[in-house]
Amino acid sequence: MKARIPNQGPTGANMMKKLQEMQSNMESLQAELAVAEYSASAGGGAVDVTVNGSHEIKAIHIKPEVVDPEETDMLEDLLLAALNEAMRKADETAEREMGKITGGLNIPGMGGMF
C-alpha cells in the first residue's frame, strides 16, 4: 500500500510562500536589530551608555563631576541602571519588530531569540 500525500493545492502552496517570505523578513530584521544601537542614561544624565542589539556595550560616557573616588559604589549603581535600561530597550524593540512580521504567531523555535 502506498502512502498518499495530499495535494497542497493553491492554499498550501500560498501558505508555504508566505512562511518563506516571513522567514526571509525575520532574517533581515535580525541582522538590522543586531547592529542597531540603543542608549540610556542614569543619574539625570550623569552616566550614558550605548549598546547594540547583540547586547554588546558600544560606549559609556560619564560626566567628570560624578567621578568621586570615595563614592565608586554610586557610580557602579548608575552604570548598572543605565546598562540594564539600554539592554531592555534593545530587547523591547526586537520583540516589537518581530511581532510585526509574525503577526503575533507563536512560531516554534523562534521563542527566546532576543
Side-chain angles (χ1 to χ4, degrees), residues 3-74:
R4 294 182 59 173
I5 299 173
N7 185 355
Q8 288 186 343
T11 305
N14 196 17
M15 179 61 86
M16 267 313 246
K17 184 177 180 181
K18 285 183 180 182
L19 287 172
Q20 288 171 338
E21 185 178 311
M22 185 186 306
Q23 180 180 8
S24 176
N25 290 343
M26 288 175 69
E27 289 170 359
S28 296
L29 180 59
Q30 285 172 334
E32 288 176 36
L33 291 171
V35 296
E37 293 188 354
Y38 307 89
S39 297
S41 63
V47 173
D48 291 305
V49 298
T50 302
V51 300
N52 67 17
S54 296
H55 294 160
E56 296 171 332
I57 299 167
K58 303 303 286 182
I60 298 175
H61 299 283
I62 303 168
K63 287 187 175 179
E65 58 268 23
V66 299
V67 180
D68 182 345
E70 295 189 21
E71 292 199 26
T72 55
D73 26 330
M74 171 144 43

Side-chain angles (χ1 to χ4, degrees), residues 55-109:
H55 294 160
E56 296 171 332
I57 299 167
K58 303 303 286 182
I60 298 175
H61 299 283
I62 303 168
K63 287 187 175 179
E65 58 268 23
V66 299
V67 180
D68 182 345
E70 295 189 21
E71 292 199 26
T72 55
D73 26 330
M74 171 144 43
L75 182 56
E76 291 168 352
D77 289 344
L78 292 173
L79 282 167
L80 282 173
L83 285 165
N84 286 330
E85 177 63 13
M87 296 290 188
R88 187 196 62 73
K89 286 181 179 182
D91 288 341
E92 184 179 271
T93 300
E95 284 181 34
R96 183 179 60 247
E97 295 302 315
M98 281 297 182
K100 289 178 185 177
I101 291 176
T102 64
L105 291 176
N106 185 11
I107 300 174

